[in-house]
Coordinates of all heavy atoms in Angstrom, one line a residue:
V1 N -10.4 15.7 62.2 CA -10.4 15.4 63.6 C -9.6 14.2 64.0 O -8.8 14.2 64.9 CB -11.9 15.2 64.0 CG1 -12.0 14.8 65.5 CG2 -12.7 16.5 63.8
W2 N -9.7 13.1 63.2 CA -9.0 11.9 63.4 C -7.5 12.1 63.3 O -6.7 11.7 64.1 CB -9.5 10.8 62.4 CG -8.8 9.5 62.5 CD1 -8.1 8.9 61.5 CD2 -8.7 8.6 63.7 NE1 -7.6 7.7 62.0 CE2 -8.0 7.5 63.3 CE3 -9.2 8.7 65.0 CZ2 -7.7 6.5 64.2 CZ3 -8.9 7.7 65.8 CH2 -8.2 6.6 65.4
M3 N -7.1 12.9 62.2 CA -5.7 13.1 62.0 C -5.1 14.0 63.1 O -4.0 13.8 63.5 CB -5.5 13.8 60.6 CG -5.7 12.9 59.4 SD -4.6 11.5 59.3 CE -3.1 12.4 59.0
R4 N -5.8 15.0 63.6 CA -5.3 15.8 64.7 C -5.2 15.0 66.0 O -4.3 15.2 66.7 CB -6.2 17.0 64.9 CG -6.2 18.0 63.8 CD -6.9 19.3 64.1 NE -6.1 20.0 65.2 CZ -6.6 21.0 65.8 NH1 -7.8 21.5 65.6 NH2 -5.9 21.6 66.8
F5 N -6.1 14.0 66.2 CA -6.0 13.1 67.3 C -4.7 12.3 67.3 O -3.9 12.2 68.2 CB -7.2 12.2 67.4 CG -7.1 11.2 68.5 CD1 -7.3 11.5 69.8 CD2 -6.8 9.9 68.2 CE1 -7.2 10.5 70.8 CE2 -6.7 8.9 69.1 CZ -6.9 9.2 70.5
L6 N -4.4 11.8 66.1 CA -3.2 10.9 65.9 C -1.9 11.7 66.1 O -0.9 11.2 66.6 CB -3.2 10.3 64.5 CG -4.2 9.2 64.3 CD1 -4.2 8.7 62.8 CD2 -4.0 8.0 65.2
T7 N -1.9 13.0 65.8 CA -0.7 13.8 65.9 C -0.7 14.7 67.2 O 0.0 15.6 67.3 CB -0.6 14.8 64.7 OG1 -1.7 15.6 64.6 CG2 -0.4 14.0 63.4
M8 N -1.6 14.3 68.1 CA -1.8 15.0 69.4 C -2.0 16.5 69.2 O -1.4 17.3 70.0 CB -0.5 14.8 70.3 CG -0.4 13.3 70.7 SD 0.9 13.0 71.8 CE 2.3 13.3 70.7
G9 N -2.7 16.9 68.2 CA -3.1 18.3 67.9 C -2.0 19.1 67.2 O -2.3 20.3 66.9
Y10 N -0.8 18.5 66.9 CA 0.2 19.3 66.2 C 0.1 19.3 64.7 O 0.6 20.1 64.0 CB 1.6 18.7 66.6 CG 2.0 19.1 68.0 CD1 1.9 18.1 69.0 CD2 2.4 20.4 68.3 CE1 2.3 18.5 70.3 CE2 2.8 20.7 69.6 CZ 2.7 19.8 70.6 OH 3.1 20.1 71.9
G11 N -0.6 18.3 64.1 CA -0.7 18.2 62.7 C -2.1 18.4 62.1 O -3.1 18.3 62.9
F12 N -2.1 18.7 60.9 CA -3.4 18.7 60.1 C -4.3 19.8 60.7 O -5.5 19.6 60.9 CB -4.0 17.4 60.1 CG -4.7 17.1 58.8 CD1 -4.0 16.9 57.6 CD2 -6.1 17.1 58.7 CE1 -4.6 16.6 56.4 CE2 -6.7 16.8 57.5 CZ -6.0 16.6 56.3
Q13 N -3.8 21.0 60.9 CA -4.6 22.1 61.4 C -4.9 23.0 60.2 O -4.2 23.1 59.2 CB -3.9 22.9 62.4 CG -3.5 22.1 63.7 CD -2.9 23.0 64.7 OE1 -3.3 24.1 65.0 NE2 -1.8 22.4 65.4
P14 N -6.1 23.6 60.3 CA -6.5 24.5 59.1 C -5.5 25.7 59.0 O -5.0 26.2 60.0 CB -7.9 25.0 59.5 CG -7.9 24.9 61.0 CD -7.1 23.7 61.3
A15 N -5.3 26.1 57.7 CA -4.4 27.3 57.5 C -5.1 28.5 58.1 O -6.3 28.7 58.0 CB -4.2 27.4 56.0
N16 N -4.3 29.4 58.6 CA -4.8 30.6 59.2 C -4.8 31.6 58.0 O -3.9 32.4 57.8 CB -3.8 31.1 60.3 CG -4.3 32.4 61.0 OD1 -5.4 32.9 60.6 ND2 -3.6 32.9 62.0
T17 N -5.9 31.6 57.3 CA -6.1 32.4 56.1 C -7.2 33.5 56.3 O -8.2 33.1 56.8 CB -6.5 31.5 54.9 OG1 -5.5 30.5 54.8 CG2 -6.5 32.3 53.6
W18 N -6.9 34.7 56.0 CA -7.8 35.8 56.2 C -8.5 36.1 54.9 O -8.2 36.9 54.1 CB -7.0 37.0 56.7 CG -6.3 36.7 58.0 CD1 -6.8 36.0 59.0 CD2 -5.0 37.2 58.3 NE1 -5.8 35.9 60.0 CE2 -4.7 36.7 59.6 CE3 -4.1 38.0 57.7 CZ2 -3.6 36.9 60.3 CZ3 -2.9 38.3 58.4 CH2 -2.7 37.7 59.7
L19 N -9.6 35.3 54.7 CA -10.4 35.3 53.4 C -11.1 36.6 53.2 O -11.4 37.0 52.1 CB -11.4 34.2 53.4 CG -10.9 32.8 52.8 CD1 -11.9 31.8 53.1 CD2 -10.6 33.0 51.3
Q20 N -11.4 37.4 54.3 CA -12.1 38.6 54.2 C -11.3 39.7 53.6 O -11.8 40.7 53.2 CB -12.7 39.0 55.5 CG -11.7 39.5 56.5 CD -11.1 38.4 57.3 OE1 -11.2 37.2 57.0 NE2 -10.4 38.7 58.4
D21 N -10.0 39.5 53.5 CA -9.1 40.6 53.0 C -9.0 40.5 51.5 O -9.3 39.5 50.9 CB -7.7 40.4 53.6 CG -7.7 40.7 55.1 OD1 -8.5 41.6 55.5 OD2 -6.9 40.1 55.9
D22 N -8.6 41.6 50.9 CA -8.3 41.6 49.5 C -7.0 42.4 49.3 O -7.0 43.6 49.4 CB -9.5 42.3 48.7 CG -9.3 42.2 47.2 OD1 -8.6 41.4 46.8 OD2 -10.0 43.0 46.5
P23 N -6.0 41.7 48.9 CA -5.9 40.3 48.5 C -6.0 39.4 49.8 O -5.8 39.8 50.9 CB -4.5 40.2 47.9 CG -3.7 41.2 48.5 CD -4.7 42.4 48.8
V24 N -6.1 38.1 49.5 CA -6.2 37.1 50.6 C -4.8 36.9 51.2 O -3.8 36.9 50.6 CB -6.7 35.7 50.0 CG1 -6.6 34.7 51.1 CG2 -8.1 35.8 49.5
I25 N -4.8 36.9 52.6 CA -3.5 36.8 53.3 C -3.5 35.5 54.1 O -4.4 35.1 54.7 CB -3.4 38.0 54.3 CG1 -3.4 39.3 53.5 CG2 -2.1 37.9 55.1 CD1 -3.5 40.6 54.4
L26 N -2.3 34.8 53.9 CA -2.1 33.6 54.6 C -1.0 33.8 55.7 O 0.1 34.3 55.4 CB -1.6 32.5 53.7 CG -1.2 31.2 54.4 CD1 -2.4 30.5 54.9 CD2 -0.4 30.3 53.4
N27 N -1.4 33.5 56.9 CA -0.4 33.6 58.0 C 0.2 32.2 58.2 O -0.3 31.3 58.8 CB -1.1 34.0 59.3 CG -0.2 34.0 60.5 OD1 1.0 33.9 60.3 ND2 -0.7 34.2 61.7
G28 N 1.4 32.1 57.6 CA 2.1 30.8 57.6 C 3.1 30.6 58.7 O 3.9 29.7 58.7
T29 N 3.2 31.6 59.7 CA 4.2 31.5 60.7 C 4.1 30.3 61.6 O 3.0 29.8 61.9 CB 4.2 32.8 61.6 OG1 2.8 32.9 62.1 CG2 4.5 34.0 60.9
M30 N 5.2 29.7 62.0 CA 5.2 28.5 62.7 C 6.1 28.6 64.0 O 7.2 29.1 63.9 CB 5.8 27.3 61.8 CG 5.0 27.1 60.6 SD 5.9 25.9 59.5 CE 6.0 24.5 60.5
D31 N 5.6 28.1 65.1 CA 6.4 28.0 66.3 C 7.6 27.2 66.1 O 8.7 27.4 66.7 CB 5.6 27.5 67.5 CG 4.4 28.4 67.9 OD1 4.5 29.6 67.5 OD2 3.5 27.9 68.5
L32 N 7.5 26.2 65.3 CA 8.6 25.2 65.1 C 9.9 25.9 64.7 O 11.0 25.5 65.1 CB 8.2 24.2 64.0 CG 9.2 23.1 63.6 CD1 9.5 22.2 64.8 CD2 8.8 22.3 62.4
Q33 N 9.9 26.9 63.8 CA 11.1 27.5 63.3 C 11.4 28.8 64.1 O 12.5 29.3 63.9 CB 10.9 27.8 61.8 CG 10.9 26.6 60.9 CD 10.7 26.9 59.5 OE1 9.7 27.3 59.0 NE2 11.8 26.6 58.7
G34 N 10.6 29.3 64.9 CA 10.9 30.3 65.8 C 10.9 31.7 65.2 O 10.8 31.9 64.0
P35 N 11.0 32.7 66.1 CA 10.8 34.1 65.6 C 12.0 34.6 64.8 O 11.9 35.5 64.0 CB 10.7 34.9 66.9 CG 11.4 34.1 68.0 CD 11.1 32.6 67.6
N36 N 13.2 34.1 65.1 CA 14.4 34.6 64.3 C 14.3 34.2 62.8 O 14.6 35.1 62.0 CB 15.7 34.0 64.9 CG 16.0 34.5 66.3 OD1 16.2 35.7 66.4 ND2 16.1 33.7 67.3
Y37 N 13.8 33.0 62.6 CA 13.6 32.6 61.2 C 12.6 33.5 60.5 O 12.8 33.9 59.4 CB 13.2 31.1 61.1 CG 13.0 30.6 59.7 CD1 14.1 30.1 59.0 CD2 11.8 30.6 59.2 CE1 13.9 29.6 57.7 CE2 11.6 30.1 57.9 CZ 12.7 29.6 57.2 OH 12.5 29.2 55.9
C38 N 11.5 33.7 61.2 CA 10.4 34.4 60.6 C 10.8 35.9 60.3 O 10.5 36.4 59.3 CB 9.2 34.4 61.6 SG 7.7 35.3 60.9
L39 N 11.5 36.5 61.3 CA 12.0 37.9 61.1 C 12.9 38.0 59.9 O 12.8 38.9 59.1 CB 12.6 38.4 62.4 CG 13.3 39.8 62.3 CD1 12.2 40.8 61.9 CD2 13.9 40.1 63.6
A40 N 13.9 37.0 59.8 CA 14.9 37.1 58.8 C 14.2 36.9 57.4 O 14.5 37.7 56.4 CB 15.9 36.0 59.0
K41 N 13.3 35.9 57.2 CA 12.7 35.7 55.9 C 11.8 36.9 55.6 O 11.6 37.2 54.4 CB 11.9 34.4 55.9 CG 12.8 33.2 56.1 CD 13.9 33.1 55.1 CE 13.5 32.9 53.7 NZ 14.7 32.6 52.8
T42 N 11.1 37.5 56.6 CA 10.3 38.6 56.3 C 11.1 39.8 55.8 O 10.7 40.6 54.9 CB 9.4 39.0 57.5 OG1 8.7 37.9 57.9 CG2 8.5 40.2 57.3
L43 N 12.3 40.0 56.4 CA 13.2 41.1 56.0 C 13.5 40.9 54.5 O 13.6 41.8 53.7 CB 14.4 41.1 56.8 CG 14.3 41.7 58.2 CD1 15.6 41.3 59.0 CD2 14.1 43.2 58.2
Q44 N 13.8 39.6 54.1 CA 14.1 39.3 52.8 C 13.0 39.6 51.8 O 13.2 40.2 50.7 CB 14.6 37.9 52.6 CG 15.9 37.6 53.4 CD 16.3 36.1 53.3 OE1 15.7 35.3 52.6 NE2 17.4 35.8 54.0
Q45 N 11.8 39.2 52.2 CA 10.6 39.5 51.4 C 10.4 41.0 51.2 O 10.1 41.5 50.1 CB 9.4 39.0 52.0 CG 9.2 37.4 51.9 CD 7.9 36.9 52.5 OE1 7.9 35.9 53.1 NE2 6.8 37.6 52.2
W46 N 10.6 41.8 52.2 CA 10.4 43.3 52.1 C 11.5 43.9 51.2 O 11.2 44.8 50.5 CB 10.5 43.9 53.5 CG 9.1 43.9 54.1 CD1 8.6 43.0 55.1 CD2 8.0 44.8 53.8 NE1 7.3 43.3 55.4 CE2 6.9 44.4 54.6 CE3 7.9 45.9 53.0 CZ2 5.7 45.1 54.6 CZ3 6.7 46.6 53.0 CH2 5.6 46.2 53.8
R47 N 12.7 43.3 51.3 CA 13.8 43.9 50.4 C 13.3 43.6 48.9 O 13.6 44.5 48.1 CB 15.1 43.2 50.7 CG 16.2 43.5 49.7 CD 16.4 45.0 49.6 NE 16.8 45.6 50.8 CZ 16.6 46.9 51.1 NH1 16.2 47.8 50.2 NH2 17.0 47.4 52.3
C48 N 12.8 42.5 48.6 CA 12.3 42.2 47.3 C 11.3 43.3 46.8 O 11.3 43.8 45.7 CB 11.7 40.8 47.2 SG 12.8 39.5 47.2

């Protein structure tokens, strides 16, 4: 709570993790890097 106050709500937020799933899924997408970055890196993961 204190850390989020110091960073005006931008920092130290809990990870968006879907623990109920098997396997566990982490949603690490960030507004900071934008949709183009997320789409490009996801394309690369799918190619793998």
Side-chain angles (χ1 to χ4, degrees):
V1 175
W2 178 240
M3 290 297 294
R4 291 193 66 190
F5 173 76
L6 289 176
T7 59
M8 295 185 292
Y10 286 103
F12 217 69
Q13 299 184 41
N16 184 358
T17 306
W18 302 323
L19 272 168
Q20 69 273 16
D21 292 327
D22 187 17
V24 175
I25 299 173
L26 174 68
N27 178 10
T29 52
M30 300 170 60
D31 293 340
L32 179 66
Q33 291 180 290
N36 290 302
Y37 180 85
C38 183
L39 176 57
K41 297 306 293 186
T42 302
L43 285 168
Q44 293 178 6
Q45 284 182 222
W46 273 99
R47 174 54 59 200
C48 286

